[in-house]
CSV table of all heavy atoms in Angstrom, one decimal:
chain,number,residue,atom,x,y,z
A,420,LYS,N,27.9,-1.6,1.7
A,420,LYS,CA,27.8,-2.3,2.9
A,420,LYS,C,28.9,-3.4,2.9
A,420,LYS,O,29.0,-4.2,2.0
A,420,LYS,CB,26.4,-2.9,3.1
A,420,LYS,CG,25.3,-1.8,3.2
A,420,LYS,CD,24.0,-2.5,3.1
A,420,LYS,CE,22.8,-1.5,3.1
A,420,LYS,NZ,21.5,-2.1,2.9
A,421,ARG,N,29.5,-3.5,4.1
A,421,ARG,CA,30.5,-4.6,4.3
A,421,ARG,C,30.0,-5.6,5.4
A,421,ARG,O,30.1,-6.8,5.3
A,421,ARG,CB,31.8,-4.0,4.7
A,421,ARG,CG,32.5,-3.4,3.5
A,421,ARG,CD,33.7,-2.6,3.9
A,421,ARG,NE,34.6,-3.3,4.9
A,421,ARG,CZ,35.5,-2.8,5.6
A,421,ARG,NH1,35.7,-1.4,5.5
A,421,ARG,NH2,36.3,-3.5,6.4
A,422,GLN,N,29.6,-5.0,6.6
A,422,GLN,CA,29.2,-5.9,7.7
A,422,GLN,C,28.0,-5.3,8.4
A,422,GLN,O,28.0,-4.1,8.7
A,422,GLN,CB,30.3,-6.1,8.6
A,422,GLN,CG,30.0,-7.0,9.8
A,422,GLN,CD,31.1,-7.3,10.7
A,422,GLN,OE1,32.2,-6.8,10.5
A,422,GLN,NE2,30.9,-8.1,11.7
A,423,GLU,N,27.0,-6.1,8.8
A,423,GLU,CA,25.9,-5.6,9.5
A,423,GLU,C,26.1,-5.7,11.0
A,423,GLU,O,26.7,-6.7,11.5
A,423,GLU,CB,24.6,-6.4,9.1
A,423,GLU,CG,23.3,-5.9,9.8
A,423,GLU,CD,22.1,-6.7,9.4
A,423,GLU,OE1,22.2,-7.6,8.6
A,423,GLU,OE2,21.0,-6.3,9.9
A,424,ILE,N,25.6,-4.7,11.8
A,424,ILE,CA,25.5,-4.8,13.2
A,424,ILE,C,24.1,-4.4,13.6
A,424,ILE,O,23.7,-3.3,13.4
A,424,ILE,CB,26.5,-3.8,13.9
A,424,ILE,CG1,27.9,-4.2,13.4
A,424,ILE,CG2,26.4,-3.9,15.4
A,424,ILE,CD1,29.0,-3.2,13.9
A,425,SER,N,23.3,-5.4,14.1
A,425,SER,CA,21.9,-5.2,14.3
A,425,SER,C,21.6,-4.7,15.8
A,425,SER,O,22.4,-5.0,16.7
A,425,SER,CB,21.2,-6.5,14.1
A,425,SER,OG,19.8,-6.4,14.3
A,426,TYR,N,20.5,-4.0,15.9
A,426,TYR,CA,20.1,-3.5,17.3
A,426,TYR,C,19.5,-4.7,18.0
A,426,TYR,O,19.8,-4.9,19.2
A,426,TYR,CB,19.1,-2.4,17.1
A,426,TYR,CG,18.6,-1.9,18.5
A,426,TYR,CD1,19.6,-1.4,19.4
A,426,TYR,CD2,17.3,-1.8,18.8
A,426,TYR,CE1,19.1,-1.0,20.7
A,426,TYR,CE2,16.9,-1.4,20.0
A,426,TYR,CZ,17.8,-0.9,21.0
A,426,TYR,OH,17.4,-0.5,22.2
A,427,LEU,N,18.6,-5.4,17.4
A,427,LEU,CA,17.9,-6.6,18.1
A,427,LEU,C,18.2,-7.9,17.4
A,427,LEU,O,18.3,-7.9,16.1
A,427,LEU,CB,16.4,-6.3,18.1
A,427,LEU,CG,15.9,-5.1,18.9
A,427,LEU,CD1,14.4,-4.9,18.6
A,427,LEU,CD2,16.2,-5.2,20.3
A,428,ASN,N,18.4,-8.9,18.1
A,428,ASN,CA,18.6,-10.2,17.6
A,428,ASN,C,17.2,-10.9,17.4
A,428,ASN,O,16.8,-11.6,18.3
A,428,ASN,CB,19.5,-11.1,18.4
A,428,ASN,CG,19.9,-12.4,17.8
A,428,ASN,OD1,19.5,-12.6,16.7
A,428,ASN,ND2,20.6,-13.2,18.5
A,429,MET,N,16.5,-10.6,16.3
A,429,MET,CA,15.2,-11.1,16.2
A,429,MET,C,15.1,-12.6,15.9
A,429,MET,O,14.1,-13.2,16.2
A,429,MET,CB,14.5,-10.3,15.0
A,429,MET,CG,14.4,-8.8,15.2
A,429,MET,SD,13.5,-8.4,16.7
A,429,MET,CE,11.8,-9.0,16.3
A,430,ASN,N,16.2,-13.1,15.3
A,430,ASN,CA,16.2,-14.5,15.0
A,430,ASN,C,17.6,-15.1,15.3
A,430,ASN,O,18.5,-14.9,14.5
A,430,ASN,CB,15.9,-14.8,13.5
A,430,ASN,CG,15.8,-16.2,13.2
A,430,ASN,OD1,16.0,-17.1,14.0
A,430,ASN,ND2,15.5,-16.5,11.9
A,431,PRO,N,17.8,-15.7,16.4
A,431,PRO,CA,19.1,-16.2,16.8
A,431,PRO,C,19.7,-17.1,15.8
A,431,PRO,O,20.9,-17.3,15.8
A,431,PRO,CB,18.8,-16.9,18.1
A,431,PRO,CG,17.5,-16.4,18.6
A,431,PRO,CD,16.7,-16.0,17.4
A,432,GLU,N,18.9,-17.8,15.0
A,432,GLU,CA,19.4,-18.7,14.0
A,432,GLU,C,19.8,-18.1,12.7
A,432,GLU,O,20.4,-18.7,11.8
A,432,GLU,CB,18.4,-19.8,13.7
A,432,GLU,CG,18.1,-20.6,14.9
A,432,GLU,CD,17.0,-21.7,14.6
A,432,GLU,OE1,16.6,-21.8,13.5
A,432,GLU,OE2,16.7,-22.5,15.5
A,433,SER,N,19.5,-16.8,12.5
A,433,SER,CA,19.8,-16.1,11.3
A,433,SER,C,21.3,-15.8,11.3
A,433,SER,O,22.0,-15.7,12.3
A,433,SER,CB,19.1,-14.7,11.2
A,433,SER,OG,19.5,-13.9,12.2
A,434,SER,N,21.9,-15.8,10.1
A,434,SER,CA,23.3,-15.6,10.0
A,434,SER,C,23.6,-14.8,8.7
A,434,SER,O,22.8,-14.7,7.8
A,434,SER,CB,24.1,-16.9,9.9
A,434,SER,OG,23.6,-17.7,8.8
A,435,GLU,N,24.8,-14.2,8.6
A,435,GLU,CA,25.3,-13.6,7.4
A,435,GLU,C,25.8,-14.6,6.5
A,435,GLU,O,25.9,-15.8,6.8
A,435,GLU,CB,26.4,-12.6,7.8
A,435,GLU,CG,26.0,-11.5,8.7
A,435,GLU,CD,27.1,-10.6,9.0
A,435,GLU,OE1,28.1,-11.1,9.6
A,435,GLU,OE2,27.1,-9.4,8.6
A,436,GLU,N,26.2,-14.2,5.3
A,436,GLU,CA,26.8,-15.1,4.4
A,436,GLU,C,28.1,-15.6,5.0
A,436,GLU,O,28.9,-14.9,5.6
A,436,GLU,CB,27.1,-14.4,3.0
A,436,GLU,CG,25.9,-14.0,2.3
A,436,GLU,CD,26.2,-13.3,1.0
A,436,GLU,OE1,27.4,-13.3,0.6
A,436,GLU,OE2,25.3,-12.8,0.3
A,437,GLY,N,28.3,-16.9,4.9
A,437,GLY,CA,29.5,-17.5,5.5
A,437,GLY,C,29.2,-18.2,6.8
A,437,GLY,O,30.0,-18.8,7.4
A,438,GLY,N,27.9,-18.1,7.2
A,438,GLY,CA,27.5,-18.8,8.4
A,438,GLY,C,27.8,-18.0,9.7
A,438,GLY,O,27.5,-18.6,10.8
A,439,LYS,N,28.3,-16.8,9.7
A,439,LYS,CA,28.5,-16.1,11.0
A,439,LYS,C,27.3,-15.4,11.4
A,439,LYS,O,26.6,-14.8,10.7
A,439,LYS,CB,29.6,-15.1,10.7
A,439,LYS,CG,31.0,-15.7,10.4
A,439,LYS,CD,32.1,-14.6,10.2
A,439,LYS,CE,33.4,-15.2,9.9
A,439,LYS,NZ,34.5,-14.2,9.7
A,440,PRO,N,27.0,-15.4,12.7
A,440,PRO,CA,25.8,-14.7,13.3
A,440,PRO,C,26.0,-13.2,13.2
A,440,PRO,O,27.1,-12.7,13.2
A,440,PRO,CB,25.7,-15.2,14.7
A,440,PRO,CG,27.1,-15.6,15.0
A,440,PRO,CD,27.7,-16.2,13.8
A,441,VAL,N,24.9,-12.5,13.0
A,441,VAL,CA,24.9,-11.1,12.9
A,441,VAL,C,25.2,-10.5,14.3
A,441,VAL,O,24.5,-10.8,15.2
A,441,VAL,CB,23.5,-10.5,12.4
A,441,VAL,CG1,23.6,-9.0,12.4
A,441,VAL,CG2,23.2,-11.1,11.0
Side-chain angles (χ1 to χ4, degrees):
K420 299 172 185 175
R421 288 169 47 195
Q422 181 178 2
E423 180 180 5
I424 301 174
S425 178
Y426 180 56
L427 298 174
N428 187 6
M429 300 300 295
N430 184 1
E432 298 180 357
S433 66
S434 62
E435 297 179 299
E436 293 183 6
K439 295 182 180 180
V441 177

